[in-house]
Amino acid sequence: MERIDVALIGAGRMGSIHGPNAARHPGLRLRYVIDPRPEAAAAVGGPFGAAHVELDVALADPEIGGVLVCSSTDQHLDHVLAAVAAGKAVFCEKPLDLDLPKVTAAAAKLSEARLILAFNRRFDPHFRALKARLDAGEIGRLESLHLINHDPAAPPPGFIPTSGGLFKDFTIHDLDLARWLLGEPIREVFAAASCLVDPEIGRLGDFDTARTVLKTTAGRLCVISNTRRSGYGYDQRLEAFGSRGMLSAGNVALDDVHTLTETGALAAPIQPGFMQRYAGSYRAEVDHFAEVLHGRARSLVGYADGVAALVLAEACDRSARSGTVVKLEESAHA
């Protein structure tokens, strides 16, 4: 397979996942890593022969076909716009930006761009299998969803001020997943949120625990359960209820061996964090990026999906702070 050269912007937590996945892909070659920290760039790109360069050098190289944007959230949109202007296909970590007006202002430049927004849960094999069975009518007409997304432990308080808050940083994954599964616009949002895990998160103006209800134009309902601390691992479950039954995707354990004795049952714990639980989905979304770069596919999740998820995240925050149902405009395409 021909290999297309790509550049990685950002050698932090997500860059250290996506960069090596791209480098190991038979259809891609990691050529450059852009990061203000040379040692971080070397740690990610060095094992694959990728050079540490400035962004303008990478974007000016005609051999670079794609760019993976894994920089800090406040730089996502600027880096995406620069890469698109240079004629590159772009893979960007979510969200495009924390400021909805800034994102919507970029519509003319991004709505038709070759852009994949990394809502990785759409690429999880368990959730994709559930979606396929749902679309095949296995449980009849979908009526309601229940999404559970519980982190194993709260982030350090220093993360909170730049995170965008619980709904934009955390719940946004569930909002995109709900849109994908429900298959029709969401018109009402109600969220109740508290700070029950770490008082410092509350002091900084954020929540760490929330329950959200979404209602579509046809009346379908989705309940989302979020907390920054489970105390038992990375809890990721999905249930879909239809007119003829239900579909569920449960947690993934460290192994599938169960012990049964006179004293009871023993099983392995569930995955400890997102890197382990979603390792397969991270590889799958880079696979999809390669297919887009080679012209064999169109982006499955792009600019419009990013806007819609951000609209919903802002509605959740407004609802939680006001205690009221937020109704979304028809033009929001949520």
Side-chain angles (χ1 to χ4, degrees):
M1 180 187 295
E2 176 194 1
R3 303 184 79 184
I4 295 177
D5 288 346
V6 297
L8 170 70
I9 305 176
R13 184 170 63 173
M14 297 312 300
S16 67
I17 295 173
H18 297 312
N21 282 344
R24 296 185 184 108
H25 195 281
L28 304 175
R29 181 187 296 108
L30 183 62
R31 180 83 173 273
Y32 300 126
V33 178
I34 299 95
D35 194 286
R37 303 159 300 161
E39 69 284 355
V44 172
F48 307 102
H52 176 224
V53 300
E54 296 297 319
L55 179 59
D56 58 349
V57 172
L59 295 184
D61 188 338
E63 296 300 314
I64 295 296
V67 176
L68 296 102
V69 177
C70 301
S71 48
S72 60
T73 300
D74 61 346
Q75 296 180 305
H76 282 181
L77 186 58
D78 289 342
H79 287 154
V80 168
L81 288 169
V84 169
K88 316 300 185 185
V90 182
F91 173 101
C92 181
E93 262 302 316
K94 64 81 192 167
L96 275 171
D97 198 88
L98 297 174
D99 187 313
L100 183 59
K102 281 180 63 178
V103 174
T104 55
K109 296 177 180 178
L110 297 184
S111 58
E112 298 300 323
R114 290 183 297 160
L115 170 64
I116 295 173
L117 197 55
F119 281 114
N120 67 290
R121 294 175 197 193
R122 293 197 190 203
F123 296 88
D124 176 73
H126 308 283
F127 295 162
R128 288 183 70 83
L130 184 146
K131 167 73 167 167
R133 294 185 184 189
L134 185 64
D135 290 347
E138 195 166 302
I139 60 168
R141 184 180 183 278
L142 177 66
E143 294 172 349
S144 63
L145 292 173
H146 185 200
L147 308 183
I148 297 173
N149 176 13
H150 295 174
D151 256 357
F159 168 78
I160 300 301
T162 59
S163 70
L166 181 72
F167 295 109
K168 289 183 181 180
D169 170 63
F170 193 69
T171 313
I172 197 166
H173 275 294
D174 307 300
L175 297 171
D176 179 72
L177 195 59
R179 290 185 60 249
W180 182 55
L181 293 167
L182 289 165
E184 62 187 30
I186 294 163
R187 292 295 174 238
E188 293 183 14
V189 173
F190 177 73
S194 300
C195 190
L196 304 174
V197 175
D198 184 349
E200 185 64 12
I201 292 176
R203 191 190 69 78
L204 292 168
D206 197 14
F207 308 109
D208 56 33
T209 308
R211 299 294 183 271
T212 301
V213 180
L214 311 175
K215 188 175 183 179
T216 72
T217 49
R220 293 174 176 172
L221 298 173
C222 175
V223 177
I224 299 170
S225 175
N226 294 134
T227 180
R228 291 286 195 184
R229 177 193 64 202
S230 71
Y232 53 87
Y234 191 45
D235 191 357
Q236 302 290 292
R237 287 175 282 154
L238 191 164
E239 296 175 331
F241 300 88
S243 57
R244 297 201 306 269
M246 72 168 288
L247 293 164
S248 67
N251 280 311
V252 178
L254 293 178
D255 64 53
D256 200 33
V257 178
H258 292 235
T259 302
L260 297 174
T261 68
E262 289 181 346
T263 58
L266 181 65
I270 62 175
Q271 295 286 347
F274 71 91
M275 289 187 181
Q276 299 87 351
R277 170 62 182 83
Y278 288 117
S281 71
Y282 293 135
R283 290 190 296 270
E285 58 186 358
V286 170
D287 289 344
H288 178 54
F289 185 47
E291 290 295 296
V292 171
L293 270 176
H294 282 272
R296 294 190 290 263
R298 293 177 61 85
S299 173
L300 295 175
V301 52
Y303 171 77
D305 300 295
V307 172
L310 194 57
V311 166
L312 288 170
E314 290 205 345
C316 289
D317 192 73
R318 290 199 306 274
S319 177
R321 295 183 189 281
S322 67
T324 61
V325 173
V326 173
K327 295 183 180 294
L328 299 170
E329 295 295 327
E330 196 74 24
S331 60
H333 300 295

